[in-house]
Amino acid sequence: MIRNVVGSILALAGATAAVWSPFRAWYDGRHGRDYRIEDLFAGITDTKAEVIGSVLLPLAFAALLTLVGVVLRSRLLVALAGLVVLGFTVLWMVRVGQAEDGLAVDPDGGGLGTGVALALLGGVLLLLGALLMAGRARSRRAPEEVSTPPGHTTHPGPPVGPPPEERAGYTDTPANRGGYGGNEGYDRGAPPYDAPTRSYDVPDPDGREQPPDRDRWNNP
């Protein structure tokens, strides 16, 4: 919070110095608002520029970027404003140096003036403000719950085991194990050799009916 406040103050001070600089003398008593923007690319001339088409325009644009960056707490916008101010100021110095065969500083008011110093100071303050600003605080968002898309219904899986109403009346008895009725003494692994045999009535060759106990005693 404190870093944002200090950085914002430096950035606003730098933007103010940059906008004020074209109304001061830049070279040999000529104000910065008298230099045309196209002269920075084609060469310095003696033609006086209008205010809207002078060096004031890019510096005012940099001040606007600074205001937006301070409101949004954007370090990038503030740094970009500082680069715009320094870039146009350095470009102007290069063009004037080419036209005048070098730059000079005269204590009597000739040469480089206070306007150039204010522009350079404004660009440096903008960069310092961008470095000091902490930027926007990132809020930690809770993990979003997975929501069901509209129109989609979830179907539960198949129930495991018998229904509750049948489970309540179910008792674990030997008759319910395996569905064998009451054969709790029946050994499933025993061979079926001792299974009971069934007796049949076999007629006697002489035509007489044999007693039912005969097959039982004659069975090997």
Side-chain angles (χ1 to χ4, degrees):
M1 182 64 182
I2 298 178
R3 292 182 57 184
N4 283 329
V5 173
V6 176
S8 300
I9 293 175
L10 290 178
L12 293 176
T16 303
V19 174
W20 187 27
S21 64
F23 298 94
R24 306 293 296 176
W26 278 45
Y27 198 80
D28 287 339
R30 187 178 180 182
H31 289 185
R33 66 176 183 268
D34 296 334
Y35 291 95
R36 299 184 305 174
I37 296 179
E38 53 265 26
D39 290 346
L40 302 180
F41 303 95
I44 301 297
T45 62
D46 295 333
T47 305
K48 186 176 181 180
E50 297 180 358
V51 177
I52 193 62
S54 64
V55 179
L56 176 62
L57 183 61
L59 300 183
F61 175 72
L64 180 61
L65 285 179
T66 303
L67 291 177
V68 177
V70 170
V71 172
L72 299 180
R73 297 180 182 179
S74 175
R75 303 174 60 185
L76 180 61
L77 290 178
V78 176
L80 180 60
L83 293 177
V84 169
V85 173
L86 291 178
F88 276 91
T89 304
V90 172
L91 180 60
W92 175 88
M93 295 175 66
V94 171
R95 290 303 183 183
V96 171
Q98 292 176 352
E100 300 292 337
D101 294 333
L103 297 175
V105 178
D106 190 354
D108 297 333
L112 294 175
T114 57
V116 180
L118 284 175
L120 294 175
L121 178 62
V124 173
L125 289 178
L126 285 171
L127 293 180
L128 288 178
L131 291 176
L132 289 178
M133 291 177 64
R136 301 180 63 179
R138 297 180 180 178
S139 58
R140 296 181 179 179
R141 302 175 61 184
E144 299 180 357
E145 297 181 357
V146 179
S147 58
T148 304
H152 178 76
T153 57
T154 57
H155 300 280
V160 180
E165 57 273 9
E166 296 182 6
R167 193 183 306 166
Y170 178 81
T171 56
D172 188 12
T173 60
N176 294 333
R177 298 174 182 173
Y180 289 98
N183 298 333
E184 59 275 5
Y186 178 72
D187 188 6
R188 299 181 185 179
Y193 298 115
D194 54 351
T197 59
R198 183 178 179 182
S199 59
Y200 297 92
D201 295 336
V202 181
D204 190 76
D206 299 335
R208 294 177 299 176
E209 184 178 355
Q210 300 295 330
D213 295 339
R214 178 181 178 181
D215 294 335
R216 184 181 63 181
W217 294 105
N218 294 332
N219 188 21

